[in-house]
């Protein structure tokens, strides 16, 4: 089973526009979609859609629309009751897939609620193969929350501890590497911009996200610097350029033929789900990367934050290239 943890879940509203976004003007939407979201929630949705067992752990009142949406889509979850409503995020999509996101901060949770969330996650993760710590943190959370959670998961494990994947950004992502060996993730899933920040902190020559996205060899070298800092593996998504996977044993680039992009919301989350889906089936690292890119491409071709099932993906269309790590 794969457990996902979303500390700051959301109700994701996607508004499709008939043309480019015009600031200061009135525009009529072509369509509006609404789904339960947040990075971890999206990963669970994608896994369940492909028939894999997953459990989403999150805060939220029983009547909250986010939890109601999970029930409607038959995604198993456990929640920590809170009084405040969960946030609503809005994505504006233009023809061609250009997406503008407006994310609310989410409800603040006090220290007692934070501790209760950790305990709920630890208890829910017993026997899990993977735990995914994903998304932004609500107001008031310490930046190193994910490192603390990873340490608690491992120290509380009765037998084999679950593997831990982290997909976040900014300070929570950087601080996820601050917990020493006991808190270090087995897998990181940054995009090119996030990879540039992590690699610079690991001593890699400064580079922009655009530079890494345009040069997969440089992206692999940057990811290798992060792996040398103690991370088990880095799965770095490079937008339409595909993704690179770097482990201690190798580096690979995966590319997919161009797709007609409809919405990029949740494409990175779907890529992580594809990787975990293949890993759970015993696939080799390069083939885990292959399914990750197939999932990400399929998600970009779907409206809103719709996640693909595995039978909607085309892994055979993905090209894998071995890369140098240095």
């Amino acid at each position: 089973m794969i457990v996902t943890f979303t500390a700051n879940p959301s109700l994701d509203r996607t508004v499709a526009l008939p043309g480019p976004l015009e600031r200061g003007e009135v525009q009529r939407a072509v369509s509006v979609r609404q789904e339960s979201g947040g990075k971890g929630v999206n990963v669970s949705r994608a896994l369940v859609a492909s028939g894999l067992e997953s459990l989403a752990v999150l805060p939220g009142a029983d009547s909250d629309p986010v939890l109601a949406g999970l029930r409607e889509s038959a995604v198993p979850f456990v929640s920590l009751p809170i009084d405040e409503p969960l946030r609503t995020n809005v994505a504006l999509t233009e023809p061609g897939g250009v997406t503008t996101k407006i994310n609310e901060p989410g409800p603040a949770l006090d220290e007692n609620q934070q501790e209760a969330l950790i305990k709920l996650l630890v208890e829910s993760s017993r026997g899990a193969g993977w735990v995914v710590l994903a998304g932004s943190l609500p107001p008031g959370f310490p930046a190193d929350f994910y490192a603390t959670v990873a340490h608690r998961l491992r120290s509380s494990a009765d037998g084999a501890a679950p593997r831990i994947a982290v997909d976040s950004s900014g300070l929570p992502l950087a601080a996820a590497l601050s917990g020493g060996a006991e808190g270090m993730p087995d897998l990181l899933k940054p995009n090119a911009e996030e990879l540039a920040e992590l690699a610079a902190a690991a001593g890699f020559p400064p580079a922009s996200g655009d530079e890494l996205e345009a040069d997969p060899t440089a992206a692999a070298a940057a990811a290798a610097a992060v792996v040398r800092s103690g991370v088990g593996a880095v799965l770095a998504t490079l937008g339409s350029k595909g993704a690179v996977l770097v482990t201690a044993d190798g580096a690979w680039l995966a590319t997919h033929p161009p797709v007609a992009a409809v919405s990029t919301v949740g494409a990175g989350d779907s890529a992580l789900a594809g990787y975990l889906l293949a890993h759970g089936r015993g696939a080799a690292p390069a083939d885990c990367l292959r399914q990750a890119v197939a999932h990400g491409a399929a998600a970009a071709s779907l409206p809103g934050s719709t996640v693909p099932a595995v039978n909607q993906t085309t892994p055979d269309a993905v090209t894998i290239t071995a890369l140098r790590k240095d």
Side-chain angles (χ1 to χ4, degrees), residues 97-215:
V98 175
T99 302
T100 303
K101 293 194 68 178
I102 303 171
N103 291 351
E104 295 182 4
L109 304 183
D110 62 30
E111 291 184 2
N112 290 334
Q113 291 171 312
Q114 294 173 31
E115 175 60 24
L117 261 180
I118 294 175
K119 289 181 177 178
L120 179 63
L121 176 63
V122 168
E123 182 61 32
S124 301
S125 301
R126 300 194 187 282
W130 281 91
V131 173
V132 178
L133 310 177
S136 64
L137 295 175
F141 274 54
D144 64 352
F145 184 78
Y146 285 145
T148 299
V149 170
H151 188 278
R152 287 279 292 276
L153 284 166
R154 289 177 174 138
S155 63
S156 302
D158 295 331
R163 292 183 176 89
I164 296 171
V166 174
D167 182 4
S168 189
S169 60
L171 285 177
L173 177 60
L177 310 187
S178 66
E182 284 298 313
M184 199 66 75
D186 296 286
L187 176 68
L188 280 182
K189 208 298 295 168
N191 60 25
E193 182 178 349
E194 294 155 357
L195 175 60
E197 295 173 359
L198 290 170
F204 188 76
S208 70
D210 289 342
E211 290 172 329
L212 296 185
E213 191 166 297
D215 186 351

Side-chain angles (χ1 to χ4, degrees), residues 77-93:
F77 69 90
V78 292
S79 61
L80 176 74
I82 61 174
D83 294 330
E84 297 295 320
L86 296 172
R87 61 183 180 150
T88 297
N89 293 340
V90 177
L92 306 175
T93 62

